[in-house]
Amino acid sequence: MEEVEKREEGRNDGMLEGGVEVRVLVVDDSPVDRRMVEVLLKKSGAMFQVTSVDSAKRAMEVLGLSEDKTKSPVVDDQKVDIILTDYCMPEMTGYDLLKAVKEQSCQKPIPVIVMSSENEPQRINRCRAIGAEDFIIKPLQTNDVLRLRSYARTGLPPPPPLSSSKAGTKRKMTIELMAESGGGGSERRRPRLTGLAMA
Amino acid sequence: MSLMALREQLNGLVNSMFLEGLLDDQFEQLQMLQDESSPGFIAELITLFCGDSERILAELTKLLDQAVVDYQKVDAFVHQLKGSSSSVGAQHVKLACVQFRQFCEEHNKEGCLCALNVVKHEYYLLRGKFDTMLQLEQRIQAYESKQQI
């Protein structure tokens, strides 16, 4: 199961300075999550060129990295401005990919954002310790995607992460505790139009 | 059936799915992402979710049919299903997967088999309603296209 999808998403009114597209490499074995991220990037307003792959191994190929450590790795950093990778993937994990990218000796390694559905402080700290720029708890929201522009645009540290272990914990624990308490949400749901039939 | 009646039926269906807890806030997020520039987004995502889920359920059935169960593989698949159900807002399926993972952790085969049945039940219940939802959506779109001619 190997696929590389390239989509150009976005509108001109959100372009970066100089009108440069942000080239995002999305790495996720879930087709649902890959599509969600693509649409979120499209809706964010910035001009993103999105390449999606379904495995870390495929991402290595796109980046021009080799798993053979005897070969001197040369990252093809002309292709990608930022990597957004899932943590849990079969064979090669997002952590392994992160490590491989950060081990490159180029001056400005590609920013790597890690995504995970598990809000584990140990996992988050592990990724940050080897250079992950941020760690986002799934499912992704619009705010999470807006942050990507900050990392790719200036190369400067973005505002304090909303998806840090503290903030992420608070948001996700609230939702998950409510869900796991068996609440169907009916007490907080009011009837609404579906929005599905929108023209 | 008139266009208004179709819309009411669709709204009623989706609202009932929220009230029953089949769908959660995340589905609302998806609804907000659907607009003129991506009109078929929800249908596409539902289709991807259903295809992926059925693949995973088939794998889980095979794995749990083995004399010696590879719980690591089972857990990996359940984790995938939990993730995608969370992404589309399929709350009951997600919660069933949470329970399933606990049995995996305990290496409890009987528990896993029960949990698999629960996940299948929740998934196929949801799938039935998703099918109706998409059919109604298609009928509404066809009606609207006709009106524009």
Side-chain angles (χ1 to χ4, degrees), chain A residues 13-188:
Chain A
D13 59 349
M15 292 186 80
L16 299 179
E17 295 87 5
V20 176
E21 284 182 338
V22 176
R23 297 160 301 179
V24 184
L25 176 62
V26 176
V27 190
D28 201 318
D29 59 328
S30 165
V32 172
D33 288 347
R34 282 200 304 276
R35 187 63 186 127
M36 273 227 34
V37 170
E38 283 165 8
V39 173
L40 277 170
L41 287 168
K42 174 181 177 180
K43 300 293 178 195
S44 71
M47 183 65 88
F48 286 112
Q49 185 188 80
V50 182
T51 302
S52 298
V53 295
D54 61 0
S55 68
K57 187 178 161 193
R58 197 73 181 95
M60 297 274 280
E61 289 170 19
V62 168
L63 293 167
L65 290 171
S66 169
E67 288 191 275
D68 182 351
K69 299 206 188 314
T70 60
K71 294 183 186 172
S72 34
V74 177
V75 177
D76 188 349
D77 61 3
Q78 299 304 311
K79 282 186 180 171
V80 174
D81 296 314
I82 188 163
I83 299 168
L84 182 57
T85 180
D86 188 27
Y87 185 94
C88 273
M89 290 185 288
E91 293 178 23
M92 188 177 179
T93 66
Y95 179 82
D96 297 328
L97 176 63
L98 163 67
K99 198 156 175 268
V101 170
K102 295 302 180 182
E103 276 173 358
Q104 303 310 305
S105 53
C106 50
Q107 208 170 2
K108 274 175 71 179
I110 304 170
V112 179
I113 314 294
V114 180
M115 307 180 279
S116 176
S117 55
E118 309 287 333
N119 191 359
E120 283 179 28
Q122 207 175 3
R123 179 179 291 187
I124 296 168
N125 293 334
R126 208 174 155 228
C127 288
R128 287 192 182 281
I130 61 166
E133 271 67 18
D134 206 348
F135 193 101
I136 301 177
I137 307 298
K138 285 178 164 185
L140 258 66
Q141 309 294 322
T142 309
N143 283 346
D144 298 322
V145 163
L146 289 173
R147 299 173 56 71
L148 293 185
R149 282 189 298 173
S150 306
Y151 288 111
R153 179 176 286 179
T154 61
L156 295 173
L162 297 172
S163 312
S164 66
S165 50
K166 284 184 186 172
T169 300
K170 189 176 179 183
R171 172 165 77 92
K172 289 302 160 178
M173 278 184 69
T174 302
I175 292 169
E176 287 187 333
L177 281 174
M178 284 176 75
E180 287 171 11
S181 69
S186 56
E187 70 277 6
R188 53 190 175 86

Side-chain angles (χ1 to χ4, degrees), chain A residues 31-33 35-36 39 42-43 88 117-118 139 141 179 184 186 188-189 192-194 196-199, chain B residues 11 15 18-19 21 25-26 28-29 31 33-35 37-38 41-42 44 79 82 87 95 101 133 137:
Chain A
V32 172
D33 288 347
R35 187 63 186 127
M36 273 227 34
V39 173
K42 174 181 177 180
K43 300 293 178 195
C88 273
S117 55
E118 309 287 333
Q141 309 294 322
S186 56
R188 53 190 175 86
R189 179 82 56 213
R192 61 187 299 286
L193 291 178
T194 65
L196 283 184
M198 285 162 54
Chain B
N11 292 340
N15 286 337
F18 279 119
L19 286 169
D25 286 343
Q26 180 61 20
E28 273 191 87
Q29 298 291 323
Q31 289 175 308
L33 289 175
Q34 177 157 292
D35 61 18
S37 59
S38 48
F41 169 60
I42 290 184
E44 185 187 356
H79 172 77
K82 176 177 165 261
S87 293
L95 293 176
R101 291 192 80 192
M133 190 194 286
E137 177 69 11

Side-chain angles (χ1 to χ4, degrees), chain B residues 9 13 41 65 79-80 85 95 114 116 126 145:
Chain B
Q9 200 176 343
L13 171 64
F41 169 60
D65 208 25
H79 172 77
Q80 275 184 44
S85 58
L95 293 176
C114 282
L116 176 59
L126 178 67
S145 303

Side-chain angles (χ1 to χ4, degrees), chain B residues 58-119:
Chain B
E59 293 290 346
L60 285 170
T61 305
K62 264 196 288 189
L63 285 169
L64 287 172
D65 208 25
Q66 304 300 310
V68 178
V69 175
D70 185 338
Y71 288 101
Q72 202 172 357
K73 277 190 183 161
V74 171
D75 184 69
F77 277 118
V78 179
H79 172 77
Q80 275 184 44
L81 183 56
K82 176 177 165 261
S84 57
S85 58
S86 174
S87 293
V88 302
Q91 183 169 235
H92 280 186
V93 176
K94 183 186 81 173
L95 293 176
C97 289
V98 170
Q99 183 66 54
F100 197 155
R101 291 192 80 192
Q102 282 172 0
F103 286 122
C104 281
E105 220 170 302
E106 295 162 10
H107 288 204
N108 180 341
K109 184 170 182 179
E110 210 166 297
C112 284
L113 285 166
C114 282
L116 176 59
N117 283 337
V118 172
V119 171

